[in-house]
Amino acid sequence: MSVRRTRRTRLTAALVAAPLALTLVACGGDDDTDADTRSDDAPASGTASPADETPQDDQAGSTSQPAGDTDGLLAAATTALGEVSGATVFSVDAEPTGWEVTLVAADGTESEVAVAADGTVARGPVTDPDDSGADEADDLAERRQLLKDATVDHAAAVAAAQSSNPGAVVTGVDLDLDAGRPTWDVQLGEDTPDELTVTVDATTGEVIGSERDD
């Protein structure tokens, strides 16, 4: 059973980051006043010169994943690790408002920390309130096996994936067992035409495969 699937179906709902809100306030009077206001605001709207188009470009970019870059991913993992003593990063995934980091403690307990795009902790750590039953016992055993066998951490896996794909942006990383073998799945350029998953051996740090996502 995949640790990632369990995390997605049982933990993610506990970490709902607050959405961004944009409020546009417009004021005006009669037709002449409205015309004067539009004229006065023209430089700020990006119509005066190419240089003034930058604010519009920035605003358009804010609708994408703000934390979707390699440095942001690594920083979010470091921030989350500071919330759970002795934990190991098992996954980092880009979200619209930041990052979702899954940590596993030395005893195999799993928790999640939401890190905002500005690098602060938005929520967490949160553990699964339903950690019981046969399925959870299997997941716990798998996590403990990964803690024992995986000697390559998330940062080394990211570096390995980038070395084989220079210039690619890492948007996610996930530790899992692949036919009993600990591996890192490193997502490059997620949700873009160049999306690629690179598989890194979690015991040697070597790239052992890659898959272009359709």
Side-chain angles (χ1 to χ4, degrees):
M1 178 175 293
S2 170
V3 173
R4 186 170 189 175
R5 287 197 300 273
T6 300
R7 178 175 67 256
R8 285 297 187 189
T9 56
R10 301 172 61 188
L11 288 176
T12 303
L15 287 170
V16 179
L20 296 176
L22 296 178
T23 304
L24 300 179
V25 179
C27 63
D30 54 25
D31 293 341
D32 292 339
T33 302
D34 289 343
D36 292 340
T37 301
R38 287 192 296 270
S39 177
D40 292 340
D41 290 343
S45 68
T47 59
S49 66
D52 290 333
E53 294 176 1
T54 303
Q56 285 189 335
D57 295 340
D58 291 343
Q59 186 176 15
S62 66
T63 61
S64 63
Q65 292 177 339
D69 63 87
T70 307
D71 290 341
L73 180 149
L74 295 174
T78 299
T79 297
L81 284 171
E83 300 298 306
V84 182
S85 179
T88 298
V89 172
F90 265 45
S91 73
V92 186
D93 295 297
E95 298 291 339
T97 57
W99 302 92
E100 182 182 288
V101 184
T102 301
L103 304 173
V104 176
D107 64 355
T109 302
E110 184 180 69
S111 60
E112 290 189 354
V113 177
V115 179
D118 63 3
T120 61
V121 175
R123 188 176 179 186
V126 175
T127 57
D128 190 347
D130 299 319
D131 281 354
S132 60
D135 288 345
E136 175 54 29
D138 290 342
D139 291 341
L140 179 61
E142 183 173 317
R143 293 194 295 267
R144 288 176 173 172
Q145 187 67 36
L146 285 168
L147 286 172
K148 177 182 176 182
D149 295 342
T151 56
V152 174
D153 68 6
H154 66 286
V158 166
Q162 282 195 306
S163 68
S164 63
N165 297 271
V169 176
V170 178
T171 53
V173 61
D174 183 74
L175 179 63
D176 208 346
L177 282 176
D178 183 5
R181 181 183 193 180
T183 59
W184 287 100
D185 286 335
V186 183
Q187 292 287 333
L188 306 178
E190 192 170 4
D191 296 329
T192 72
D194 298 323
E195 183 173 352
L196 180 71
T197 299
V198 177
T199 301
V200 178
D201 190 310
T203 61
T204 66
E206 296 179 356
V207 174
I208 56 177
S210 62
E211 181 179 356
R212 183 72 62 182
D213 297 323
D214 297 329

